[in-house]
């Protein structure tokens, strides 16, 4: 996978709120966008003016002039499009503003890769003929595109897999979760395989089916309780023995 394959079109908001008049509960803003493809060959500069969340007027570099979306916007577009100095300025923004900013975004963020942290957990143990559920979660990876699959003894399993979308964490990282419903068989090898651009080869995490974690924990807790019980019993017994011996040795008159 190369980084250019998955980025078909990326929209980056490079500059947002310019003017906010929130004092009376109204919201007036201008937003500047540079839209570009992964190769940076297609570049579009968009400047929108909005009032109270509704877009009023927009300059689109592909169109080359202002377009109004409300009565006020249409009125203004007509006036602004007659202003050749303003039009010339807006038409130059694609090169002046978008070119180097998108290049920066590309160098600083889009070309980066961060490996997923993968965790394989048991969602549900298999009980009375009901299938077990395994969950494979990949966290904090970048970029978004990832492939999570399941294998049983090296063969890809297709049925009973539910995968979430890649969820944006809001900090450029993504996470995704895949559930596998299956009926465990003795001696089999179940694994979750994660493929991502950041990984040299697919990451495979194998489920230890011999003893699922919750079972192991239950046994460990039980064993600890048993040892504690034995210690208390032994202590009580020794205490009782010492006391009773004392009474025999020093009989009361
Ligand atoms: C800008 O205009 C072009 C041509 O009409 C159109 O294809 C493109 O979607 C427009 N961009 C936006 C963000 O509206």
């Amino acid at each position: 996978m190369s980084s250019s394959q998955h980025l078909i079109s990326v929209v980056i908001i490079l500059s947002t709120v310019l003017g906010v008049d929130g004092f009376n509960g109204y919201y007036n803003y201008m937003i500047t966008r540079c839209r570009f493809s992964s190769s940076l060959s297609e570049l579009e500069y968009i400047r929108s003016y909005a009032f109270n969340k509704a877009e009023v007027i927009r300059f689109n570099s592909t169109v080359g002039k202002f377009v109004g979306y409300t009565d006020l916007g249409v009125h203004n577009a007509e006036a602004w499009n007659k202003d050749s100095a303003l039009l010339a300025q807006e038409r130059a923004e694609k090169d002046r503003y978008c070119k180097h900013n998108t290049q920066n975004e590309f160098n600083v963020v889009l070309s980066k890769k961060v490996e997923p942290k993968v965790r394989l957990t048991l969602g549900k143990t298999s009980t009375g003929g009901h299938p077990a559920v395994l969950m494979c979660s990949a966290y904090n990876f970048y970029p978004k595109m990832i492939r999570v699959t399941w294998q049983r003894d090296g063969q890809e399993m297709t049925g009973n897999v539910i995968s979430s979308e890649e969820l944006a964490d809001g900090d450029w990282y993504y996470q995704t979760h895949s559930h596998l419903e299956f009926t465990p068989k003795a001696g089999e090898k179940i694994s979750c395989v994660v493929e991502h651009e950041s990984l040299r080869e697919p990451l495979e995490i194998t489920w230890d089916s011999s003893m699922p974690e919750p079972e192991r924990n239950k046994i460990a807790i039980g064993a600890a309780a048993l040892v504690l019980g034995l210690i208390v019993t032994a202590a009580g017994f020794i205490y009782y023995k010492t006391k009773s011996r004392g009474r025999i040795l020093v009989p009361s008159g």
Side-chain angles (χ1 to χ4, degrees), residues 16-72:
T16 51
V17 181
L18 194 78
V20 177
D21 178 10
F23 300 108
N24 296 315
Y26 293 109
Y27 200 53
N28 179 42
Y29 61 90
M30 185 201 77
I31 194 161
T32 300
R33 285 180 286 166
C34 299
R35 299 176 82 223
F36 57 103
S37 63
S38 54
S39 59
L40 292 181
S41 56
E42 289 154 61
L43 188 57
E44 194 172 72
Y45 161 80
I46 308 284
R47 176 164 286 176
S48 297
Y49 293 83
F51 178 67
N52 228 10
K53 293 188 182 172
E55 192 172 5
V56 176
I57 189 167
R58 177 190 293 185
F59 180 89
N60 175 341
S61 67
T62 310
V63 177
K65 58 182 176 119
F66 288 96
V67 175
Y69 297 100
T70 64
D71 286 349
L72 176 69

Side-chain angles (χ1 to χ4, degrees), residues 11 30 45 58 69 76 97 161 176 180 226 236-237 252:
V11 180
M30 185 201 77
Y45 161 80
R58 177 190 293 185
Y69 297 100
N76 274 281
Y97 179 73
V161 174
T176 191
L180 169 76
L226 180 66
F237 185 71
S252 56

Side-chain angles (χ1 to χ4, degrees), residues 57-107:
I57 189 167
R58 177 190 293 185
F59 180 89
N60 175 341
S61 67
T62 310
V63 177
K65 58 182 176 119
F66 288 96
V67 175
Y69 297 100
T70 64
D71 286 349
L72 176 69
V74 169
H75 176 80
N76 274 281
E78 218 175 293
W80 293 2
N81 284 333
K82 280 185 195 141
D83 185 340
S84 54
L86 177 64
L87 272 190
Q89 190 190 320
E90 287 297 307
R91 284 173 185 160
E93 285 296 81
K94 184 172 114 175
D95 280 348
R96 189 199 68 83
Y97 179 73
C98 286
K99 245 190 192 142
H100 86 104
N101 273 307
T102 48
Q103 188 64 57
N104 282 349
E105 294 290 344
F106 202 85
N107 295 347

Side-chain angles (χ1 to χ4, degrees), residues 5 30 39 45 89 92 96 118 131 154-156 159 166 168 187 220 238 246 253:
Q5 265 175 300
M30 185 201 77
S39 59
Y45 161 80
Q89 190 190 320
R96 189 199 68 83
V118 183
Q155 295 289 325
E156 185 168 336
E166 295 88 350
I238 291 164

